[in-house]
Amino acid sequence: MILKPYRLGALLLALSALPALPSAPAVAAPAPAAAAVSAAAPQGHTADQIGRFLARFYGEHGPSAHDRRHHVSQVLQERQQTHTESDVLLCAQNAPHDIGIGPVTVAEAAGVGWATVTTHWGTDKTDTFTAYVRLDSRPIRVDDVICAG
């Protein structure tokens, strides 16, 4: 396409009316400030914090009524209302003899941490399930439970 002289002049006039673009150093300057903001932002719960929370939450025989009201996601509370035949937080129908919490894994990119919870039912019978905690939950709470088998 060949531009006629008057079209080229109109294009140059239109371009000169646009606001000036910032120079390259001004555009690059905000990057360190943004990095400082993200470095100061809280990273969420650590593996240690989640492990201590789950150990306290589950205790030896299961969560207390207080913990069930205040430290469980709304999704799990609703799931419990529809699954009245079993305890969705313990993946069982009654209280275990003892509960153990395994090592906690944290996936910062996914915003979640989890641990395997082992319930002991007497002689040598055990069951396991996985408890999930969102890293940004305030207060810290169990976000989901996935029962094994």
Side-chain angles (χ1 to χ4, degrees):
M1 173 170 123
I2 300 174
L3 291 177
K4 306 247 188 240
Y6 63 87
R7 285 191 182 167
L8 184 57
L11 177 63
L12 290 174
L13 182 62
L15 288 174
S16 68
L18 291 176
L21 296 175
S23 63
V27 172
V37 170
S38 66
Q43 297 296 316
H45 309 299
T46 65
D48 182 57
Q49 291 168 330
I50 293 169
R52 285 186 283 126
F53 163 72
L54 290 174
R56 185 197 56 74
F57 178 83
Y58 280 105
E60 291 181 19
H61 305 291
S64 68
H66 177 270
D67 282 338
R68 289 173 183 276
R69 278 191 311 277
H70 299 288
H71 295 285
V72 175
S73 70
Q74 186 64 37
V75 170
L76 276 175
Q77 290 178 16
E78 291 170 5
R79 189 182 304 161
Q80 184 62 69
Q81 290 175 351
T82 61
H83 293 89
T84 56
E85 71 282 354
S86 68
D87 187 337
V88 299
L89 295 173
L90 292 169
C91 298
Q93 294 180 341
N94 48 27
H97 293 197
D98 193 22
I99 299 176
I101 308 297
V104 174
T105 302
V106 171
E108 287 186 29
V112 69
W114 65 89
T116 298
V117 179
T118 303
T119 51
H120 302 272
W121 301 94
T123 53
D124 286 332
K125 188 173 183 315
T126 62
D127 286 320
T128 61
F129 58 89
T130 305
Y132 295 86
V133 173
R134 284 183 41 164
L135 300 181
D136 64 352
S137 62
R138 300 284 186 252
I140 190 169
R141 64 180 162 260
V142 176
D143 193 56
D144 200 5
V145 172
I146 305 297
C147 302

